[in-house]
Amino acid sequence: MNFKRYFIKAIHTLVAIGLFGFGGAVYSDSYTRFFQALGQDDAATVSVLLQRGFPVNARDARGQPALVLALRAPAPRVAAVLLEHPQIDLELPTPAGETALMIAALEGNLEWTRRLADRGAGLGSPCLLYTSPSPRD
């Protein structure tokens, strides 16, 4: 009977080490992979990481939301994956207070400005004051 109790304790300890001891390393690796994939417009990798639970509203080391970075890169395939995620926060601002809709408008990216607005981004917010003098070529 004691062997069974010790065995169960050992399993619980190993699970706890796996969850708490190495969990940060796994997240850190995913974080790096996510932002590298974003920079390369690698939608497949981003999609897999999101399916594994990586937060869609993650920010880089400078506090920039992933969707804003994808629009600035530009990384349209990654931006499309992010936009379709059910937990995406379209109003998540940069440290300077800019949202994805503001960035799309400032860049003159009419397609993404429309896509974001169609999903409800910026409705009733001051970001609608942002305009671009001409569309990007």
Side-chain angles (χ1 to χ4, degrees):
M1 204 61 175
N2 283 338
F3 176 74
K4 185 177 178 183
R5 216 171 75 215
Y6 289 118
F7 180 75
I8 291 173
K9 259 189 165 179
I11 296 296
H12 287 154
T13 302
L14 290 174
V15 169
I17 288 171
L19 290 176
F20 301 111
F22 299 110
V26 171
Y27 179 81
S28 176
D29 181 52
S30 295
Y31 181 88
T32 301
R33 288 178 55 212
F34 180 83
F35 285 103
Q36 284 176 345
L38 188 151
Q40 298 167 357
D41 199 19
D42 182 355
T45 298
V46 168
S47 183
V48 166
L49 290 168
L50 292 173
Q51 288 172 4
R52 291 181 181 168
F54 190 83
V56 68
N57 296 307
R59 295 175 181 266
D60 72 355
R62 296 178 303 140
Q64 302 291 315
L67 183 57
V68 169
L69 290 171
L71 291 172
R72 280 189 173 144
R77 292 185 298 254
V78 169
V81 168
L82 296 173
L83 184 63
E84 294 306 316
H85 195 280
Q87 295 174 341
I88 189 72
D89 181 356
L90 299 176
E91 304 302 325
L92 194 63
T94 67
E98 298 170 323
T99 64
L101 181 60
M102 291 177 183
I103 298 304
L106 285 170
E107 294 283 326
N109 191 333
L110 185 58
E111 175 192 352
W112 274 96
T113 301
R114 285 184 178 152
R115 287 177 78 170
L116 290 163
D118 288 346
R119 288 284 309 269
L123 298 178
S125 75
C127 73
L128 295 178
L129 299 174
Y130 275 69
T131 58
S132 178
S134 64
R136 187 170 61 184
D137 293 326

